[in-house]
Amino acid sequence: MLKVEDWAEIRRLHRAEGVPIKEIARRMGVARNTVRAALASDRPPKYERPARGSVADEFEPQIRALLHDYPRMPAPVVAERIGWPYSLSPLKKKLAAIRPEYVGIDPADRTVYEPGQITQCDLWFPETRIPVTAGQERMLPVLVMTLGFSRFTTATMIPSRQAGDILAGMWLGISGIGRVTKTLVWDRESAIGGTGKVSVPAATFAGTLATQIRLAPPRDPEFKGMVERNNQFLETSFLPGRRFASPSDFNEQLTDWLMKANARTVRSITGRPVDLLATDYRSMTPLPPVGPAVGLSHRIRLGRDYYVRLDTVDYSVDPRVIGKLVDVTATADTVTAFCDGQIVARHTRSWAKAQTVTDPAHAATAAAMRAALAHDRQRRAAATRFHTDGHAVALRSLPDYDALFGVDFTHPSQKASTQ
């Protein structure tokens, strides 16, 4: 077969230098018919290997009969049904070629987003464990949000997958931009829409911001493919080679890295997210004057054990409000307790598990209350009279003695009024 470089040389000699076919054949050492064929062809010669049959060809009628009734039957089951005697590789290739005829093809359209239209949201779970306290490390979620038009991305590590923490992370990203898109896209994260319906906290958050939360269809990762790709980008480009001393250290490094990532050129939009953000911003909805309720919160009646539990961590509260209702709220950084509108506890939030956080002032107050109670008991015990044999003298009320001696000191006017 004539080589491509020989084909090119034949055409050059004949067309550029005018060398006759007979002379070209002599110089190149090929037949004149080969020279004529090269001159007649406008495309270089291409070697094509003759198609070889597959060992699966003879089983194709049986395979098609099975796929007709069960289009999604797995390859191992097909092999068992047809008595497949070879390795699964040829069978899988045959199934990949003919299965679409029975299952059908679901093409994925390329979606074009308008400015200010949507933000895709997702949780990324980096495998790197973050130190949260002495001797304890945790794998914590990272909330990632990507604007549809500009591809501008924000991300922050959050303490848990509870609705309050997720919404607090969303508010941090949204308030950092300064406006919100018309739609926030989520998969069926349990705290956002695990039942297929937007949860009450998420709906309240969206209503406060005058936006909506749209849940992705089940088993459809392409519905929010932009943020899924950014999760992979974080996994491969941000995480390798880094060490983190704490969640705050992780977020600081992530913020610095995102500044560079948002300044890179994205091929699909032929621009930089940081430059296109201004166009996105102009079409987004302004934020309300009062932000949404985010973070964790609950109400509890404070028991003798003057601690409240939040995400498996116990925090001390002023023991002077034992027995009263206490409202506990938590952000990613702070845990605060209120009683009758007054702050009765404030702690730095612990991201660890099964910890006890005590304010020394609360412990001192509790010790003083116990000492006062013990002193009062001692005082009462000292005021009690005892018989010579050691047992306490019983104290009786004066009316008991009046009844015992038959004495009635009731004034006559009082008797008349009672009759």
Side-chain angles (χ1 to χ4, degrees):
M1 180 180 178
L2 190 65
K3 297 180 180 180
V4 174
E5 54 269 27
D6 293 338
W7 170 82
E9 181 64 12
I10 289 171
R11 294 172 64 83
R12 185 191 69 82
L13 289 172
H14 184 71
R15 296 191 175 184
E17 299 185 9
V19 180
I21 292 177
K22 183 177 180 180
E23 178 60 20
I24 293 175
R26 187 187 66 80
R27 291 185 188 182
M28 301 291 297
V30 297
R32 280 176 282 182
N33 286 339
T34 301
V35 176
R36 294 189 182 97
L39 295 174
S41 175
D42 292 330
R43 295 183 179 181
K46 182 180 179 181
Y47 173 73
E48 295 182 359
R49 179 178 296 177
R52 294 177 56 187
S54 169
V55 292
D57 291 344
E58 59 180 298
F59 293 90
E60 184 170 335
Q62 297 171 261
I63 296 172
R64 288 185 176 276
L66 289 173
L67 293 181
H68 182 271
D69 297 326
Y70 308 99
R72 299 187 182 277
M73 181 178 287
V77 180
V78 173
E80 181 183 354
R81 298 292 178 84
I82 66 177
W84 180 256
Y86 309 105
S87 69
L88 283 180
S89 181
L91 177 59
K92 288 181 177 179
K93 291 180 180 179
K94 177 61 70 173
L95 285 171
I98 65 178
R99 193 191 295 274
E101 300 178 25
Y102 300 91
V103 175
I105 299 174
D106 182 17
D109 293 332
R110 178 166 292 183
T111 306
V112 178
Y113 296 107
E114 297 298 324
Q117 184 179 355
I118 73 161
T119 300
Q120 293 186 2
C121 311
D122 195 22
L123 291 181
W124 168 49
F125 295 90
E127 294 184 358
T128 302
R129 293 187 172 272
I130 309 298
V132 290
T133 190
Q136 188 177 143
E137 297 179 342
R138 291 185 60 194
M139 187 173 72
L140 294 164
V142 176
L143 174 66
V144 184
M145 302 172 65
T146 302
L147 301 184
F149 173 77
S150 64
R151 304 298 199 271
F152 189 87
T153 298
T154 65
T156 184
M157 178 169 280
I158 57 178
S160 74
R161 297 174 67 176
Q162 298 182 66
D165 285 333
I166 293 177
L167 297 176
M170 292 175 65
W171 176 239
L172 181 65
I174 291 170
S175 59
I177 293 174
R179 292 193 174 191
V180 63
T181 55
K182 297 176 177 60
T183 302
L184 304 172
V185 178
W186 266 98
D187 58 14
R188 303 201 172 192
E189 175 66 29
S190 59
I192 302 298
T195 62
K197 182 179 178 181
V198 178
S199 65
V200 173
T204 303
F205 177 87
T208 304
L209 299 182
T211 184
Q212 66 169 337
I213 293 179
R214 182 186 301 169
L215 299 179
R219 299 176 296 278
D220 189 2
E222 295 175 353
F223 194 81
K224 52 183 186 64
M226 288 185 302
V227 71
E228 295 281 0
R229 287 190 292 273
N230 277 335
N231 288 351
Q232 184 63 31
F233 184 41
L234 287 164
E235 189 78 39
T236 58
S237 299
F238 166 70
L239 207 56
R242 292 180 181 267
R243 294 181 180 273
F244 308 101
S246 64
S248 59
D249 180 39
F250 182 98
N251 280 334
E252 289 175 5
Q253 293 191 43
L254 180 58
T255 300
D256 292 340
W257 182 85
L258 282 172
M259 292 179 63
K260 301 175 183 177
N262 284 321
R264 79 192 195 284
T265 299
V266 178
R267 182 179 58 84
S268 59
I269 58 175
T270 62
R272 303 193 311 166
V274 69
D275 296 333
L276 296 175
L277 178 61
T279 304
D280 235 345
Y281 182 88
R282 286 192 292 270
S283 298
M284 294 162 70
T285 303
L287 298 181
V290 178
V294 297
L296 306 182
S297 62
H298 70 279
R299 169 173 283 192
I300 187 173
R301 190 175 296 278
L302 191 64
R304 285 184 58 207
D305 178 13
Y306 51 96
Y307 286 80
V308 293
R309 179 161 295 180
L310 188 77
D311 194 22
T312 77
V313 177
D314 294 333
Y315 299 90
S316 67
V317 177
D318 191 334
R320 289 174 294 185
V321 297
I322 288 175
K324 297 183 179 180
L325 290 175
V326 174
D327 294 301
V328 185
T329 62
T331 65
D333 304 318
T334 308
V335 176
T336 308
F338 299 87
C339 181
D340 296 332
Q342 300 297 319
I343 297 178
V344 291
R346 187 187 294 277
H347 298 276
T348 299
R349 182 171 178 181
S350 172
W351 289 29
K353 289 289 187 181
Q355 297 290 302
T356 300
V357 179
T358 304
D359 187 333
H362 297 162
T365 300
M369 292 173 65
R370 283 192 297 270
L373 181 61
H375 177 72
D376 185 62
R377 287 175 177 173
Q378 291 176 358
R379 182 184 59 79
R380 291 182 182 181
T384 303
R385 293 180 296 170
F386 296 90
H387 290 284
T388 56
D389 59 1
H391 70 276
V393 175
L395 299 179
R396 305 190 66 168
S397 62
L398 292 177
D400 291 343
Y401 292 99
D402 295 341
L404 178 63
F405 293 103
V407 177
D408 186 4
F409 291 101
T410 306
H411 194 275
S413 63
Q414 292 179 342
K415 291 182 179 180
S417 61
T418 58
Q419 291 178 355

